[in-house]
Each structure stands twice: as structure tokens, then as C-alpha cells.
Amino acid sequence: MNNACEELIAQWLSSSRVEIEPSLLAHVLLYITRHPEAVLTIVNILSSAWTHQKDHYKCTELLAQITVHSGKTFNSSSVNAIVEFVCDRLPGNHPLIMNRFVDIINALVMIPPGSSFYDEHAARICQALFTHVKTKSLHHDARYKLLLSLEKMIENYILALRHPEMDFVGGFINLVDGEKDPRNLLKVFELVRLVITNFDISIHVEDLFDYAFCYFPITFTPPPNDPYGITTQQLKTALRECLSSTPYFANFATPLLIEKVIKTTGSAKSDAIETIGLCAPAYGPHALLPHVTELFKALSNEVYVARSSEMERISLATIHSVVSTLAGGICIADIRLPVEAAIRSLLDPCIEKLEHPELKDAKSAGHILCAAASAADPTCSAVTQTLVPILTRLFKTSDQPVRQKAIVDVFNAVLKTNRKLYGISSLPDNDTQHHIQSPLLPFKPQLLFAFTSSMNSSDVNVRHSALEGLHEMSSITNFLTSEEL
């Protein structure tokens, strides 16, 4: 490095000026472009100046400006020198200095992999961050850059970060602990999923779950004029995806979520219900079984109470998701009987309520049965084979129109459920449709009788429901013959 450039840097460091003059920065950057090896000399100058505490910020500022503007041109020796400079000086610095160190780290990890920034640099930086950085002291923008840097290192240097001597998962949890900024939280939740995908989390499962679940339920209200436009729903969705990203969370999450369904109200309750619906397939039947009876009771109650149409909708969707997950356990020998018993605990109370089909609870019970039936072939068969004979026994053309329509409407709901599972007649046949037969087929005469006789009702609403039923029958693949149509 020429004496003129060194002299300019030395003069600035010894001056009272804090900001780097544009002319000085331009001179240094131009010289580095022409002489890349000069970076090592600058780092040595800054290392000597670091002995004076008053120069800490200026040293960091100059190195940050150089790295941000010219980092991609650095050779490996320059990167190594800067990494060591930063990592050796992370402990106990003023937040302003730490913010600039973060800028340096972010610029380094953005260097194209394999050009001058290598696995050992990523490992060194992560180890230093996990050991010395307290992110609560950083500005939220600096914390966001740090999260971006971690993401980049996971993407590009994963093998180094998996080294047995590096407890990346534990270090990550400590580093992001206490984050409250909404934009940063979105990135943290994304990183949690990335960590779960790329690392062995087995010894940190409970810690990682506790970290994520402490944010549940999301109560964030967007501030006015938020420049990033982060919404409550974005945070809720990101946290749900976090909680559903590994079956390891199942034993911790399931009882806590069910407790929130039972004991909370409003958005916290609906959030818990939707989260269970998303988590169920990831957690699997083994994890759900110990809690499922209590869960079905809570979800069914939400449908019967029907505080709002939206709460009813998400409760039914979650019933569908849980039943679908449990149905996957029917073919597992050691849990087949408990799974069948769990599903019966949902279905049997609903079937009892349908003994009085004109009452409000019967309509809600029908919705629950259809949500369960549409989840899988075994539950559809169980519901159909139990429910249709009961409805057939209850159906009488002499009944009051309200009762007659209620029964026909349940028939229609069962038909729609079958149509979802067993196909639509307008679709081309395929092997699945050809071999899977609707469990309603043995009850076709009873259904035809109920609908055709209801078409003679004096009540227009009964006739309309009967016509809808005939339409549904004609929509199910291979259900009606050409003569019947």
C-alpha cells in the first residue's frame, strides 16, 4: 500500500472527524480495486488504532465501508483478516459498533460461495456470534441483517455449521431469544423451519419448541404507517408453519393447543383450532391419540355452539384434518383399535342427535359427520353405513315439512361427501374411480324413494331439497345406471 493512502487514513483516524469524507473513501476504494492486497495493510492499521477506545467506531466504520463496497473483490487472505478482526472484537462493544460489525458480516456472507469466503469463515463467524453477541442490544435493522446472514450461511455452508463442535441449534436459539420486531419475527420463524430441516434438533427439541410456542397466540396489531406492511395473519401463518414443521413438536404442542381451544376465547381460540388442523398431518396418529377424545369434544362443542359461521367452518375443517390423520393409523396394527375407538367417540354422539333431525343440534351433528366422512374412505363407510339406515327409518312422507326437509338435507350432505371422495360422473374414468365404490350404493333404493316421494310434497322447500338430492346422486361416478338417469 502506498504511503499517501496510509497517510490519509492515519490523518483521519487521528482527527476529530467521525464521518469518513467521501474523497477519502473514494481514494481508498479505488486503491483497493487496483491493489487488492492493500486490504491486509488497512486491517493492520485499524488493528493498531483499536488500542485507543475512542477510535473503535471509526475503525469499524472504515472497515464496514470498505467491505460493503468492495467485499466481492476480496481475496481469501483479505477475507480471513477481516473475519479475524471482527470475531476477535465482538465482545462488549457499543451497540453502534456492533451494528457496523453486522454490516461487515452481512457483506462477507454475500460474497459468492467458493470465491474467497469459505466454510471455515462461516463457522468462525457463527461461533463468535453465538458466544459474544446479545441481539437485544442491536437495532432492529441490524438484527434483521444478522438473520439474513445466518440464512445465507445455512444455505451455502451447511456442512461446516453441522460440525460436531458447533452447537448451531443451541446457539441459534440463544441468539434470537426475545425478538419482538414483527419483520424480524417473520424471518426468525422462517429460520426455525430452515434449522429443523437442516440440523439434528433431537437434543434441542423442547428448547426450540418453547422458543416458538412462547409467541402463541400472535396478538400483534400493525402500527399505522408500517413501512414493511407486516400483517397479523402473516405472523400467525408463519408461526403455524413453524409449529407444524416437525413431528418432534407433537408431544409438547398437542396438549397445549387443546388447552387453548378449551380455555381461551375469540381469536386465540380460533388460532389454536386452525393450528391443530395444520399440525395434525405432520404430528401423525400416534401423537394425537392420547388427546383426541378431548379434542373432538372441544371441536364438536364449537360447532354446536356456533359462535360464528367462521368458527364453525374452521372447527369442521380441523375435525376433517384430524380424522384424516387418524384414518392413516387404521392400517397400523398396534394402534388400529384405539384409532377406531377415537373416531367412534366423535361419530356416536352425533348419530344420537340425528334421532331428532328437525332440531338445531341435529343439523350441526350432520355437519360434523360429513366433515369426518369426507376425510377418508374408512370414516365415510362408517358414517354412511350407520347414518343412512337411521335416516331411512326416520323418514316418513307424512311428517311435517320441517322434519322431512331436515332428513332430506342430511341425505344431501352425505351425498356431497361421497361425491368428494368417489368422483364426479362428468369426469373421465380412471383406475381409482373404477375400483373404489361409494358406500352409499347399497342404499340407492332408499335414497331414490326419499327424494322421489319428497318431490310430491306440497312444500316448495322440501321439493327443492329433493331435487338437489337427485342432482347429487347423478353426479357420483357409476352411482346411477343410464336407465335410472
Side-chain angles (χ1 to χ4, degrees), residues 58-102:
K58 295 172 78 171
C59 291
T60 313
E61 180 64 21
L62 180 59
L63 190 59
Q65 292 282 5
I66 292 171
T67 308
V68 168
H69 288 94
S70 299
K72 291 183 179 180
T73 67
F74 290 171
N75 58 36
S76 59
S77 298
S78 298
V79 169
N80 190 64
I82 295 173
V83 167
E84 290 304 314
F85 181 94
V86 171
C87 291
D88 288 344
R89 291 164 179 79
L90 278 177
N93 272 301
H94 189 279
L96 288 177
I97 295 174
M98 295 298 293
N99 289 341
R100 292 308 269 157
F101 275 151
V102 170

Side-chain angles (χ1 to χ4, degrees), residues 19-327:
E19 299 299 323
I20 304 174
E21 294 178 357
S23 58
L24 170 60
L25 181 60
H27 187 92
V28 172
L29 293 177
L30 179 61
Y31 192 82
I32 288 173
T33 301
R34 294 174 177 172
H35 306 281
E37 69 280 359
V39 174
L40 295 174
T41 304
I42 295 175
V43 172
N44 289 332
I45 293 172
L46 298 180
S47 297
S48 299
W50 193 267
T51 56
H52 305 290
Q53 189 169 2
K54 66 181 180 63
D55 292 332
H56 285 187
Y57 178 77
K58 295 172 78 171
C59 291
T60 313
E61 180 64 21
L62 180 59
L63 190 59
Q65 292 282 5
I66 292 171
T67 308
V68 168
H69 288 94
S70 299
K72 291 183 179 180
T73 67
F74 290 171
N75 58 36
S76 59
S77 298
S78 298
V79 169
N80 190 64
I82 295 173
V83 167
E84 290 304 314
F85 181 94
V86 171
C87 291
D88 288 344
R89 291 164 179 79
L90 278 177
N93 272 301
H94 189 279
L96 288 177
I97 295 174
M98 295 298 293
N99 289 341
R100 292 308 269 157
F101 275 151
V102 170
D103 290 335
I104 294 170
I105 290 170
N106 186 252
L108 289 174
V109 303
M110 296 302 168
I111 295 174
S115 57
S116 58
F117 189 87
Y118 299 117
D119 283 359
E120 58 267 26
H121 298 133
R124 178 81 168 92
I125 287 173
C126 285
Q127 196 65 62
L129 290 174
F130 296 156
T131 304
H132 301 300
V133 174
K134 307 297 181 186
T135 54
K136 292 179 183 178
S137 65
L138 300 178
H139 187 271
H140 62 84
D141 285 338
R143 299 199 304 272
Y144 186 71
K145 280 188 179 179
L146 196 57
L147 296 172
L148 293 178
S149 299
L150 287 175
E151 181 180 44
K152 202 71 175 176
M153 286 188 283
I154 293 173
E155 290 174 353
N156 294 329
Y157 307 100
I158 186 63
L159 293 179
L161 305 187
R162 286 177 181 158
H163 194 280
E165 294 182 4
M166 164 136 3
D167 179 13
F168 187 93
V169 180
F172 168 78
I173 295 170
N174 291 331
L175 190 69
V176 298
D177 185 43
E179 183 59 68
K180 295 181 180 179
D181 180 81
R183 179 176 64 143
N184 291 352
L185 276 177
L186 276 181
K187 180 55 66 176
V188 168
F189 294 153
E190 184 180 337
L191 284 174
V192 169
R193 299 198 307 275
L194 199 60
V195 166
I196 289 170
T197 302
N198 288 280
F199 294 89
D200 177 8
I201 65 167
S202 55
I203 64 173
H204 290 293
V205 172
E206 189 169 4
D207 291 336
L208 198 56
F209 170 77
D210 287 344
Y211 173 78
F213 200 77
C214 75
Y215 292 101
F216 190 93
I218 295 290
T219 56
F220 167 72
T221 300
N225 304 315
D226 175 16
Y228 304 112
I230 305 299
T231 66
T232 305
Q233 189 57 48
Q234 281 180 301
L235 287 168
K236 286 184 177 183
T237 300
L239 180 55
R240 282 179 201 148
E241 290 174 348
C242 220
L243 295 173
S244 65
S245 58
T246 172
Y248 284 132
F249 284 168
N251 290 334
F252 303 107
T254 308
L256 291 175
L257 288 169
I258 293 173
E259 182 181 18
K260 290 190 180 295
V261 172
I262 295 170
K263 294 184 178 180
T264 60
T265 59
S267 62
K269 181 188 286 286
S270 62
D271 200 3
I273 293 173
E274 287 191 276
T275 303
I276 291 172
L278 184 65
C279 289
Y283 292 173
H286 282 89
L288 294 177
L289 266 177
H291 316 282
V292 76
T293 301
E294 186 181 18
L295 175 59
F296 279 151
K297 184 177 179 181
L299 293 174
S300 297
N301 184 62
E302 290 304 318
V303 178
Y304 289 126
V305 173
R307 293 179 176 89
S308 69
S309 58
E310 179 63 11
M311 186 68 84
E312 182 183 30
R313 182 192 68 78
I314 63 173
S315 297
L316 291 170
T318 298
I319 288 171
H320 176 95
S321 176
V322 172
V323 171
S324 178
T325 301
L326 289 175

